Amino acid sequence: MIRGFYPIVVVVLVFTVIGVAGHRWLFNEPQSAAEFSLTDFLSSENIDIDDGLFKKAEPGYVLRFPQDHIAHPEFRSEWWYINGNLQHRDDAQQRFGFQFTVFRQALRTQKRTQQQATSGWLAPQFYMGHAGLGVFTQNRHLVAERFSRQGPGLAGTSSQPLSVWLENWQLRSENDQDLFPAQLNVGVQHNDAGGSFSYRLRLIPEKPRVYQGDQGYSPKRPEPGFASYYYSYTRLRVEGEIRFDDQTIPVTGAAWYDHEWASNSLASYQSGWDWFSLQLEDGRELMFMVLRSKDESGQADFRQVSLFSQSGERLPLDAGNIALDVLEHWQSESGVIWPSGWNMKIPEYDLDLRILPRQKTQENNLSVRYWEGAVSVEGSHAGQGYVELTGYE
Amino acid sequence: MLARASLRHFRHHPWQLLLLLLGITLGVAVVSAIEITTDSARHSFREAQIQLYGRTTHRIVGQTPLSESLYVDLRKHPAGWRSAPVISSVVKDRSGKNLLLQLIGVDPLRERGFRDQLNRLSGSGIGFSGLQANPMVVMARTTAKQLGATLNQPLVLDTANGVQRVTLMGVLDDQGDPRLQQLVLMDIGQAQQILGLQGQISHIDLILSEKEAQAVAQWLPDHVRLEATSTVLSEKAQLANALYFNLQALGLLALVVGLFLVFSSVSFSLSQRRPIFAQLRAIGLTVGELYRYLIVELVIIALIGTVSGVVLGVALAQVLLELMLNTLADLYATSPLELLLLEPVTLSKLLLLGVGGCLLAAWKPCRELARITPVSLQQRFVQETQAIKQSRHLSAYWVPVLSGLALVLLWLDSGLWGAFMAVAALLMSGALLMPAALQGLSRVLERLLIVSGVSLKQPLWLMLVRDNRRNLSRTGIAAMALMIAISATVGIGGMVGSFRDAVQLWLGERLNADLYISQTRILPGVRQPLPELFIAELETLEGVEAVATLRRTRLSVAGRQVHLYASELPVKMRSAYRFVSGNRDVIWQQLQQPDHVLISEPLANRTGLGIGDSLVLSTVAGDQPFIVAGVYYDYGSDSGRIMTRADTFSQHWVEQPYGVSLFLSDSHSPTEIAHIIRQRWGGQWDLSIQHASVLLARSVEVFNRTFVITDVLRLLALVVAFVGILSSLLAIQLERQHEVSLLKALGLNRAELTFLLLGQSLLLGLGAGLVAIPVGELLAWTLTGVVQLRAFGWSIPYQPDLYNWLIALLLSMAAAGLASLYPAWRFARHTGIRRWE
């Protein structure tokens, strides 16, 4: 799954190079057309567009921990991502969902940065954060976005303690050996887009770290050389509280963590992806991703899948043996028609799942528009999860 | 019919109309010029501040630049306060225009809601990444044009970190918006880099509610503080308040003189037209009709005069504003935007002032004229007796009242306004004394002439003196105006002279070392520290008896910025300080104790602090109490200054010495030592080595420059008075045709006639000058001893200057004499004898 991060790369680079207009403004005061836009900001020859200048994911690399938890500035893009289905600690009927992503984008390779630059503000690393909170009893989807340069410690990662932060949004481990258990603190105030909400959650691993693709080397196209490094924690127990509308609600639940980094972008024939992270009640988890090819390209979609057993073993499964059908579509206020509900069949493992959004309105209408929402799983097996959809118009 | 009569009158006496207009125009012009100038200067300063603050409500500042980690901690605080980091520094462009620019380093990602200048950025290709990657700057189109800078071209700047090269990559479409001018915007990281401020930022701007502000203040470490923007802005606005106030007082003085002129012109033109009005009244015109008509006529004339006055004022203001801004820049080391502002409010205020003032001035003569019965209107003696009686009444009642008021206001702590009202009361009572004084003068001269027997041999002399008394109703008011103008000149001249003397004396005392060394200053307000090693080596130099370093830091005391200076204060240097009270030796001894300071007189007056009182100052480690050891005379800053010992300073502040004073032994000449220093260190640093005498001359020059505007205004007021008096006297003289005809008929020859007319005028001038001298001296004393103290907080010993007296007499007699030259010449030429009208 190149999700989350790729929309940024795609949008930024495509807009930058081609100069396509009609994007969202960086600042949430769109009444002034003269304001800086994200593309204005990241634009110009001052960005290294050539993939070749950055390091690339190669097969055979063995991921090392804890150091691979933190940022890899020699790669162009990177993100740390968490989603989770939550419920009121004392009332399982009250359901919530959360998403937290920190994106890192290198504007230039470290080498090409001004030689005598001694100011921390000049580090060529740009960070973007997205935070979402779904309140399903009220059919509400709260979402916020913020940007910062790395600067002298405004955003970034550290190894002691292991942490990822964007100003006061922070994921911080409780010990230096492993990322989890960790604390996730997100506060959205008036200075962010969207409403004001926050969550303070403790994330405790219930299963070991797992590697996507081939030992963490995760191809993104059929052609060789286009891949990322990608690993996950597929089941984290969540305890903590969420806050919105001045009410604090104690919650429990289960979360999913991804960390991925790469230097290349989508192929010109690829339009976006559908990504699923499902946690079945029987203790198994499934990651399934379809990188959609544009109809006119004549190329086949590119698929990735991984199924993990109760103990965290990777179970053999060919992505070609999965049947996915869209059950329904939903048009958001922004006019985009999103798939909304799927039927997923994996005969090898007798899985026949109906994947339904907890609510349809889970569109993240930010500088990049995508759908990121909690789903319930019914059918042959019960469960829950998150789905991410990009590249729909 | 009335209008037609008036038109005919003015057609026959065009100079009367012209002079009436001139009086109004000049009076209004001076007031307008000053009003517009002060308004514009105030506005310029405010705008210059606002462009830096934007919508910032609070600002985190420290005694030193802030560590950027404080900003990082603030951003990582869960409360998520709205904040933006700023680096701010004055730079100078090296293109030869020598324009002072404000370099602002910001994080473009955080600017939204703070300063929206970046929104006006035109030209593509400069996004965040571009700004961050290169030393690029953005400035207003207008400023770029002023500098002659073009896009994508390098720009060389003098900064506190030496000469730096940046590239102009974008212009802000300012559309003449002054708030964007003289700003150089760049990325904060690049600003750190070129200014050599790694790890530091100047301040943090915040947008906070009151509740949030409290939380931030609590969260902040001790050595930094949270300032509300409103307080800072009003602090800065106060800076120049005293100056504006003085200028406005000068402007009002000019208006009073102008209105006096209007009063005299109107009275005179009405008295001229009495016969016509009498006839009109006789054929049935009512009092009300006549009165209403006169008012309408006056309003029309006043409007024309006021409008042309404002136009003239705007032109004057253009000149004045530049002078004023230069003065302010000299005094306060800021670079305001030059922006002439004429707001509708100001305009209507001026119109109201002009027209209202005229109505006020003319109301009385009009009403009287309308009330008098047609018969008495035609009889001149009625007017004369009335005028004399009236002036006696006025003098008898008003002079003691006004003088008493002045005394009370000066006695009480009535503030600056009180002082100015006292000045006005003084002037008024002086003016009211004028007719009586002239009468007295005439009487004394008459007695003298009679006693000495001159009157028998030269009857013309007696005639001159008596005629003068008789004409008082017409000339009295002109004489009052003349007196006011002259005494104002004497008063302001006396004050400025005393101040100059005091400052020069003070500078001479203060600059008592032999040599002053600092790094050459390129940017005002930016002082490069001198290397420690250099100072240490200076001490070992042969011929150097004592070395005193100078450090300073800026503090906020009682709502205003003051500088705290520190030096080792060797014994030789101590004679530079004179104390307001207390024993010098005791004071110097007190200062040896820890945490003792000396404060300047303006600061003591402003805060009410005295010896032994405690003064809380914000140090690097937070607020600390200090004890006042003494109060010293100082004219360097009206905000005040604080002085302390170098070791006390280094315990609480971090600034390094920026200057060194050398005291040499008698066997070594300053030139010789300066040469040695330049030889040895001149190659390493750009040193400025100044002899005390040169520094003194330069300081005096700066002070003199601050007086340029006062001088210009004084001259302006004088010109108005001069022209006005000239014109009203001229009008009066020209209207004496019938009288002259009579005199001619009686057999006076040309020389005798000229003697009579000129003599009368000179007598009038003499009278005005004689009264103006004591009134002017009183005024000067008040301005020096009371107004200066109340406005700036410093006391100035008043020194009367006889030269001013001479000027007063010469001016008044010249004005009066000039006014009668032309009529005398004209009447003397005419041979025809005219009928008594």
Side-chain angles (χ1 to χ4, degrees):
Chain A
M1 71 136 229
I2 216 103
R3 10 144 318 271
F5 127 86
Y6 260 162
I8 305 312
V9 178
V10 172
V11 168
V12 167
L13 294 187
V14 167
F15 278 0
T16 299
V17 180
I18 306 169
V20 173
H23 47 270
R24 290 268 318 226
W25 303 108
L26 170 59
F27 298 133
N28 61 348
E29 282 175 350
Q31 66 268 31
S32 161
E35 287 197 330
F36 265 139
S37 69
L38 180 63
T39 51
D40 277 346
F41 252 74
L42 299 173
S43 74
S44 88
E45 67 277 19
N46 293 292
I47 289 186
D48 288 330
I49 295 165
D50 185 0
D51 290 355
L53 292 170
F54 291 97
K55 218 166 158 181
K56 282 190 170 168
E58 306 283 351
Y61 173 76
V62 179
L63 272 66
R64 298 162 305 155
F65 292 92
Q67 57 265 48
D68 272 333
H69 280 311
I70 64 169
H72 301 81
E74 65 277 21
F75 288 81
R76 182 160 52 207
S77 312
E78 185 160 16
W79 76 95
W80 298 261
Y81 165 92
I82 307 173
N83 71 42
N85 277 270
L86 303 173
Q87 61 192 55
H88 195 293
R89 196 180 58 198
D90 310 318
D91 177 7
Q93 295 309 305
Q94 288 190 43
R95 291 196 165 274
F96 310 92
F98 80 95
Q99 172 231 343
F100 172 73
T101 320
V102 171
F103 304 92
R104 178 188 63 77
Q105 170 82 15
L107 303 174
R108 290 171 300 282
T109 51
Q110 216 80 25
K111 257 184 285 176
R112 282 201 54 229
T113 306
Q114 220 179 329
Q115 287 298 305
Q116 340 77 314
T118 47
S119 167
W121 297 87
L122 298 183
Q125 304 292 333
F126 179 78
Y127 281 79
M128 176 169 81
H130 285 177
L133 179 70
V135 183
F136 304 130
T137 47
Q138 298 175 17
N139 194 31
R140 280 168 74 186
H141 182 68
L142 306 168
V143 66
E145 174 176 56
R146 63 165 63 164
F147 305 94
S148 178
R149 50 168 67 187
Q150 178 177 306
L154 292 167
T157 59
S158 72
S159 52
Q160 279 182 326
L162 282 165
S163 64
V164 180
W165 76 92
L166 200 174
E167 298 182 330
N168 62 359
W169 293 3
Q170 189 180 42
L171 174 70
R172 183 189 168 108
S173 78
E174 292 178 1
N175 62 61
D176 293 346
Q177 282 72 50
D178 206 346
L179 185 54
F180 295 103
Q183 286 280 345
L184 175 64
N185 285 324
V186 171
V188 175
Q189 286 88 14
H190 41 65
N191 50 333
D192 298 291
S196 141
F197 63 93
S198 65
Y199 35 87
R200 294 160 61 89
L201 305 172
R202 186 161 181 255
L203 308 169
I204 307 121
E206 296 209 309
K207 293 175 77 170
R209 177 173 58 236
V210 296
Y211 300 93
Q212 306 286 359
D214 179 9
Q215 291 302 305
Y217 173 80
S218 169
K220 296 296 180 259
R221 305 186 198 174
E223 313 93 272
F226 294 94
S228 67
Y229 292 122
Y230 179 12
Y231 68 88
S232 312
Y233 286 83
T234 54
R235 203 178 286 259
L236 298 157
R237 182 156 51 86
V238 184
E239 295 166 355
E241 57 185 40
I242 58 175
R243 240 181 107 82
F244 59 93
D245 294 352
D246 288 325
Q247 49 175 315
T248 306
I249 296 170
V251 291
T252 58
W256 176 296
Y257 173 85
D258 277 346
H259 178 197
E260 187 166 5
W261 60 101
S263 294
N264 42 45
S265 43
L266 284 182
S268 57
Y269 60 80
Q270 290 175 317
S271 61
W273 58 83
D274 302 348
W275 175 87
F276 299 81
S277 64
L278 306 178
Q279 298 163 323
L280 302 180
E281 277 177 12
D282 65 10
R284 287 183 296 179
E285 294 92 19
L286 179 90
M287 188 287 293
F288 179 55
M289 171 170 62
V290 183
L291 282 146
R292 302 189 310 277
S293 290
K294 290 171 188 161
D295 292 341
E296 65 273 17
S297 70
Q299 295 262 10
D301 291 350
F302 187 77
R303 294 177 153 206
Q304 286 277 327
V305 72
S306 49
L307 180 66
F308 300 100
S309 74
Q310 283 82 351
S311 60
E313 301 288 310
R314 176 86 174 262
L315 299 171
L317 173 60
D318 188 276
N321 298 337
I322 299 173
L324 185 73
D325 294 307
V326 175
L327 297 175
E328 215 182 308
H329 283 88
W330 167 74
Q331 185 167 21
S332 70
E333 276 176 30
S334 58
V336 178
I337 298 170
W338 304 98
S340 188
W342 298 262
N343 189 255
M344 188 187 283
K345 285 183 185 146
I346 307 175
E348 256 174 288
Y349 291 91
D350 293 327
L351 290 170
D352 184 356
L353 309 175
R354 257 186 306 128
I355 302 164
L356 302 170
R358 298 247 186 232
Q359 69 186 27
K360 289 177 174 161
T361 52
Q362 298 192 72
E363 178 187 68
N364 282 0
N365 200 359
L366 302 170
S367 16
V368 181
R369 189 186 293 133
Y370 60 107
W371 193 92
E372 179 85 43
V375 294
S376 65
V377 178
E378 297 165 14
S380 66
H381 295 73
Q384 60 187 13
Y386 251 76
V387 172
E388 180 175 284
L389 309 169
T390 73
Y392 288 91
E393 277 167 21
Chain B
M1 186 168 69
L2 268 170
R4 228 183 300 138
S6 290
L7 275 177
R8 191 178 316 124
H9 172 78
F10 284 125
R11 204 178 304 134
H12 283 161
H13 311 270
W15 64 87
Q16 240 179 44
L17 182 64
L18 255 169
L19 295 177
L20 186 58
L21 282 174
L22 197 67
I24 304 170
T25 305
L26 286 175
V28 171
V30 173
V31 181
S32 314
I34 289 172
E35 190 72 14
I36 294 167
T37 309
T38 45
D39 259 16
S40 304
R42 232 188 264 256
H43 185 73
S44 301
F45 267 79
R46 211 180 147 73
E47 287 297 297
Q49 292 307 316
I50 286 173
Q51 70 177 354
L52 302 185
Y53 282 90
R55 276 185 228 116
T56 302
T57 63
H58 292 78
R59 178 169 272 192
I60 296 174
V61 294
Q63 212 38 65
T64 51
L66 307 175
S67 161
E68 64 189 12
S69 65
L70 178 74
Y71 173 69
V72 173
D73 291 347
L74 185 81
R75 293 300 298 180
K76 287 170 89 170
H77 191 279
W81 296 303
R82 299 178 70 175
S83 55
V86 180
I87 283 182
S88 150
S89 180
V90 176
V91 297
K92 197 156 85 183
D93 132 76
R94 274 173 80 96
S95 70
K97 302 274 165 25
N98 276 344
L99 204 59
L100 278 184
L101 302 163
Q102 189 82 33
L103 180 96
I104 305 286
V106 296
D107 183 353
L109 290 171
R110 294 280 88 83
E111 282 298 283
R112 183 175 72 80
F114 282 89
R115 288 157 288 268
D116 293 329
Q117 286 101 332
L118 283 178
N119 295 347
R120 311 239 201 133
L121 193 63
S122 69
S124 58
I126 35 167
F128 169 72
S129 53
L131 282 171
Q132 194 217 21
N134 309 296
M136 290 178 175
V137 299
V138 165
M139 61 173 75
R141 198 182 296 278
T142 316
T143 308
K145 211 177 276 173
Q146 256 176 307
L147 291 176
T150 41
L151 272 184
N152 304 317
Q153 290 300 307
L155 206 68
V156 187
L157 301 173
D158 270 321
T159 73
N161 190 34
V163 178
Q164 296 289 341
R165 197 172 279 266
V166 296
T167 311
L168 178 64
M169 281 305 288
V171 290
L172 299 169
D173 192 14
D174 57 334
Q175 290 161 358
D177 183 350
R179 281 179 306 169
L180 294 171
Q181 288 166 25
Q182 291 170 28
L183 275 189
V184 177
L185 287 163
M186 72 189 302
D187 182 72
I188 190 163
Q190 293 294 343
Q192 265 192 352
Q193 199 79 20
I194 71 160
L195 296 172
L197 289 174
Q198 278 79 7
Q200 299 181 334
I201 56 177
S202 302
H203 43 253
I204 301 170
D205 283 354
L206 298 137
I207 299 177
L208 299 174
S209 68
E210 272 313 302
K211 221 173 116 192
E212 287 174 319
Q214 281 173 15
V216 173
Q218 269 189 341
W219 173 83
L220 283 177
D222 280 343
H223 64 279
V224 293
R225 59 184 189 277
L226 186 72
E227 282 179 347
T229 312
S230 51
T231 335
V232 181
L233 280 178
S234 68
E235 233 174 63
K236 303 244 172 175
Q238 262 179 5
L239 267 184
N241 264 358
L243 184 66
Y244 298 142
F245 200 87
N246 281 334
L247 291 179
Q248 260 161 352
L250 268 176
L252 283 177
L253 203 65
L255 185 73
V256 170
V257 174
L259 290 183
F260 251 97
L261 297 182
V262 171
F263 182 45
S264 83
S265 308
V266 170
S267 307
F268 185 67
S269 98
L270 289 183
S271 73
Q272 277 290 303
R273 288 188 276 165
R274 274 173 184 234
I276 303 168
F277 294 141
Q279 280 166 14
L280 290 170
R281 283 292 308 283
I283 60 172
L285 194 72
T286 67
V287 175
E289 279 165 345
L290 181 59
Y291 186 48
R292 271 196 297 278
Y293 165 72
L294 287 175
I295 296 294
V296 170
E297 184 191 297
L298 194 70
V299 167
I300 292 169
I301 293 172
L303 261 178
I304 297 169
T306 304
V307 169
S308 45
V310 171
V311 171
L312 191 63
V314 171
L316 274 173
Q318 222 126 23
V319 183
L320 285 181
L321 182 61
E322 205 183 317
L323 281 175
M324 167 106 94
L325 293 183
N326 285 342
T327 302
L328 293 175
D330 274 344
L331 284 179
Y332 305 112
T334 43
S335 62
L337 312 155
E338 205 175 317
L339 166 79
L340 200 68
L341 182 81
L342 184 59
E343 283 182 306
V345 180
T346 315
L347 197 64
S348 38
K349 204 162 80 182
L350 290 170
L351 283 176
L352 212 71
L353 209 63
V355 177
C358 284
L359 282 177
L360 199 72
W363 168 69
K364 217 163 174 240
C366 285
R367 203 189 56 168
E368 271 164 15
L369 182 80
R371 290 244 170 110
I372 296 172
T373 54
V375 182
S376 47
L377 259 177
Q378 279 173 312
Q379 296 162 336
R380 176 157 211 116
F381 72 91
V382 179
Q383 299 169 40
E384 302 301 338
T385 44
Q386 227 180 13
I388 289 161
K389 246 194 255 163
Q390 237 173 22
S391 95
R392 270 197 203 135
H393 271 286
L394 278 173
S395 306
Y397 289 120
W398 285 104
V399 172
V401 169
L402 287 170
S403 317
L405 180 71
L407 276 178
V408 168
L409 284 169
L410 293 177
W411 186 267
L412 291 176
D413 186 17
S414 55
L416 203 50
W417 270 118
F420 275 120
M421 273 166 68
V423 168
L426 249 170
L427 278 176
M428 287 300 289
S429 47
L432 287 173
L433 276 173
M434 242 349 264
L438 279 174
Q439 285 241 356
L441 184 70
S442 305
R443 250 168 236 242
V444 169
L445 285 175
E446 194 181 327
R447 188 65 47 84
L448 269 177
L449 288 172
I450 292 168
V451 169
S452 64
V454 176
S455 59
L456 293 174
K457 278 178 255 168
Q458 298 283 346
L460 215 56
W461 283 80
L462 198 63
M463 190 173 162
L464 185 151
V465 172
R466 284 185 171 156
D467 201 35
N468 194 47
R469 234 167 72 199
R470 198 177 52 82
N471 278 325
L472 261 184
S473 78
R474 288 178 300 174
T475 55
I477 288 158
M480 283 181 184
L482 184 61
M483 195 285 296
I484 285 188
I486 301 290
S487 58
T489 311
V490 171
I492 295 169
M495 175 195 77
V496 172
S498 296
F499 188 48
R500 259 186 196 147
D501 288 349
V503 165
Q504 280 183 8
L505 188 72
W506 163 74
L507 277 172
E509 277 176 353
R510 184 60 55 81
L511 300 170
N512 67 345
D514 297 300
L515 282 177
Y516 293 88
I517 304 169
S518 63
Q519 295 225 50
T520 303
R521 221 169 3 133
I522 301 162
L523 302 167
V526 179
R527 308 204 172 190
Q528 300 281 355
L530 285 169
E532 250 171 84
L533 196 72
F534 170 64
I535 297 170
E537 283 185 48
L538 278 180
E539 278 168 7
T540 62
L541 211 63
E542 205 198 312
V544 174
E545 272 192 355
V547 172
T549 63
L550 202 57
R551 299 155 211 253
R552 70 166 192 190
T553 187
R554 206 188 305 182
L555 299 167
S556 177
V557 178
R560 275 169 77 170
Q561 298 276 325
V562 301
H563 275 116
L564 167 70
Y565 288 86
S567 171
E568 287 78 12
L569 293 165
V571 178
K572 272 195 145 186
M573 190 175 167
R574 295 184 185 172
S575 63
Y577 293 84
R578 273 194 308 126
F579 297 101
V580 173
S581 62
N583 181 301
R584 318 177 39 86
D585 298 327
V586 175
I587 290 173
W588 287 116
Q589 216 162 14
Q590 285 284 320
L591 195 65
Q592 293 306 312
Q593 297 174 36
D595 296 351
H596 275 62
V597 294
L598 302 174
I599 61 174
S600 73
E601 191 197 11
L603 186 63
N605 283 329
R606 203 156 59 75
T607 56
L609 290 174
I611 293 178
D613 290 340
S614 166
L615 171 66
V616 176
L617 301 176
S618 82
T619 69
V620 169
D623 285 356
Q624 290 275 325
F626 290 81
I627 295 165
V628 177
V631 178
Y632 63 99
Y633 286 108
D634 185 281
Y635 303 108
S637 158
D638 63 331
S639 293
R641 282 175 170 173
I642 308 173
M643 185 81 205
T644 191
R645 281 192 351 241
D647 49 350
T648 303
F649 186 93
S650 358
Q651 277 166 23
H652 300 288
W653 293 277
V654 294
E655 281 83 352
Q656 290 304 306
Y658 67 86
V660 175
S661 320
L662 295 186
F663 296 86
L664 306 179
S665 65
D666 294 338
S667 55
H668 290 79
S669 85
T671 317
E672 174 197 343
I673 301 284
H675 182 71
I676 293 171
I677 294 170
R678 212 167 268 132
Q679 286 280 308
R680 205 177 289 180
W681 292 284
Q684 262 170 288
W685 300 296
D686 192 5
L687 292 178
S688 139
I689 306 171
Q690 305 268 4
H691 291 242
S693 56
V694 177
L695 205 57
L696 178 66
R698 275 230 322 251
S699 307
V700 169
E701 190 194 319
V702 168
F703 261 97
N704 278 340
R705 240 188 296 165
T706 66
F707 282 118
V708 168
I709 189 155
T710 328
D711 285 345
V712 167
L713 282 174
R714 190 157 61 109
L715 201 67
L716 220 58
L718 197 66
V719 167
V720 172
F722 197 82
V723 172
I725 276 117
L726 195 79
S727 58
S728 69
L729 285 179
L730 192 65
I732 291 163
Q733 296 288 36
L734 286 172
E735 289 307 316
R736 292 176 68 179
Q737 227 157 29
H738 51 272
E739 201 183 328
V740 172
S741 305
L742 184 70
L743 289 173
K744 278 191 173 169
L746 289 174
L748 259 67
N749 63 23
R750 279 185 199 184
E752 284 165 337
L753 199 61
T754 310
F755 170 78
L756 194 65
L757 289 175
L758 207 62
Q760 275 178 359
S761 269
L762 288 176
L763 192 60
L764 193 78
L766 181 72
L770 283 177
V771 177
I773 289 169
V775 174
E777 284 299 323
L778 257 174
L779 189 66
W781 177 81
T782 314
L783 287 174
T784 313
V786 183
V787 174
Q788 285 280 341
L789 188 67
R790 289 185 188 177
F792 299 106
W794 46 52
S795 55
I796 296 167
Y798 175 57
Q799 286 158 333
D801 189 353
L802 288 180
Y803 174 71
N804 274 332
W805 297 18
L806 191 69
I807 294 279
L809 279 180
L810 280 179
L811 274 175
S812 58
M813 288 177 70
L818 274 174
S820 58
L821 270 185
Y822 172 67
W825 172 77
R826 201 179 122 165
F827 292 146
R829 218 173 42 139
H830 279 277
T831 47
I833 294 169
R834 293 205 179 177
R835 190 179 52 83
W836 174 268
E837 284 171 65

